[in-house]
Amino acid sequence: MTVQANNDHGKSWVLKDEFRLKKKGVGRGLHQSSVICSTVGHLVDAGVTMEYGKNYEGHWTGEHFVNQLRNKIIPEFERAHGPGYQALFLIDNSQGHSAYAEDALVVSRMNVKPGGKQAHMRNGWYISNGEKFTQSMVYPHDHADHPNAPKGIKAYLRDHCDYTFDTLKANLPIALASVPIRSIRLWEHWMFRWMEAYRSGLDTRNAQLQVKQFSSRHYKSHRKVPEGLASTFDSVV
């Protein structure tokens, strides 16, 4: 949550023919990231307070949240409950939802060319014919041109695709065989929904809306979850 020094209700009592002197802005503010536990209440020592703004401590980011989770929230939870317990965290913060590890395999963090300002990602991997192969995302330390530098998208594509028709023919069945059976069944059910929508006489737009009702879960509020989902969490606990 965020609070500002001048964030009042905008109403006050003044004498007749006088006017309230309003502040020019909301004033300096604080961002508070706290944890409330359903068993022991507010975990005070797990919280983080920062004075936000570009002239102060900056703004709350996913990196701040990950650091808080590792160094404050989890240790404080373990101190409060003792060993042998697992925590289910419900995060009411958009930056926390989109947080990734520094070396996560996220293509949007890659440059087209090697080096430069881009993430040093951990190794990736893939399975072919039952064998697991490791894919390095960083050049080795003895590379002639880019020692210890991230490869970038262009180099990665060169390593795994030579843009020939023979390679395309070889990779196509491998790609098809790599699709999990669960994904195939989900797509099959999705197509049945489309067929049912068109059979009922709906046009494209209304058919899409009907299919979306079955294929998507809508949580209108980011501050609460539906009763059914909450009951599921309670039954697990």
Side-chain angles (χ1 to χ4, degrees):
M1 62 174 293
T2 56
V3 292
Q4 295 85 23
N6 302 332
N7 190 16
D8 58 9
H9 294 290
K11 296 181 179 180
S12 61
W13 292 96
V14 295
L15 297 175
K16 186 177 180 180
D17 298 328
E18 293 187 2
F19 299 92
R20 176 174 178 262
L21 296 178
K22 297 182 179 181
K23 302 290 185 179
K24 292 183 178 180
V26 295
R28 296 169 67 176
L30 295 175
H31 176 91
Q32 178 70 30
S33 178
S34 293
V35 180
I36 300 176
C37 179
S38 60
T39 56
V40 299
H42 184 204
L43 298 179
V44 179
D45 293 335
V48 173
T49 303
M50 66 179 296
E51 188 173 352
Y52 71 86
K54 65 179 182 179
N55 296 325
Y56 300 100
E57 297 180 76
H59 295 276
W60 188 259
T61 65
E63 184 178 351
H64 287 105
F65 174 74
V66 171
N67 183 63
Q68 179 192 11
L69 182 65
R70 289 176 175 173
N71 301 323
K72 304 200 73 172
I73 296 178
I74 293 178
E76 183 60 22
F77 175 85
E78 292 175 343
R79 280 193 292 269
H81 295 83
Y85 288 88
Q86 291 184 340
L88 172 64
F89 296 107
L90 301 180
I91 310 301
D92 180 20
N93 177 268
S94 59
Q95 294 296 330
H97 298 160
S98 59
Y100 292 93
E102 293 183 1
D103 62 347
L105 300 175
V106 182
V107 69
S108 60
R109 296 181 178 179
M110 299 176 66
N111 293 343
V112 174
K113 296 182 179 180
K117 189 177 181 180
Q118 60 178 313
H120 283 67
M121 297 182 179
R122 61 175 177 264
N123 292 340
W125 57 270
Y126 67 95
I127 295 178
S128 178
N129 296 326
E131 184 178 358
K132 185 176 181 179
F133 295 89
T134 300
Q135 297 176 321
S136 176
M137 306 301 291
V138 180
Y139 284 113
H141 65 89
D142 56 352
H143 191 272
D145 299 320
H146 307 287
N148 292 323
K151 290 185 175 180
I153 298 175
K154 192 173 183 179
Y156 178 83
L157 293 177
R158 284 177 175 173
D159 291 342
H160 299 88
C161 182
D162 58 6
Y163 299 99
T164 64
F165 184 69
D166 290 338
T167 301
L168 176 64
K169 289 196 299 182
N171 287 339
L172 182 59
I174 297 175
L176 294 174
S178 67
V179 180
I181 187 66
R182 183 176 182 274
S183 297
I184 296 174
R185 290 170 179 170
L186 289 174
W187 279 99
E188 181 184 32
H189 293 166
W190 190 60
M191 293 309 302
F192 276 128
R193 297 294 184 187
W194 277 102
M195 293 167 62
E196 292 174 357
Y198 284 130
R199 286 196 189 103
S200 64
L202 297 177
D203 57 19
T204 303
R205 182 177 181 276
N206 289 318
Q208 184 179 19
L209 294 175
Q210 178 171 308
V211 172
K212 192 175 182 180
Q213 293 178 359
F214 295 97
S215 60
S216 302
R217 296 181 180 179
H218 301 277
Y219 301 140
K220 295 183 179 180
S221 174
H222 70 284
R223 298 185 181 276
K224 63 182 180 180
V225 296
E227 289 294 334
L229 184 58
S231 300
T232 302
F233 290 154
D234 292 338
S235 63
V236 173
V237 176

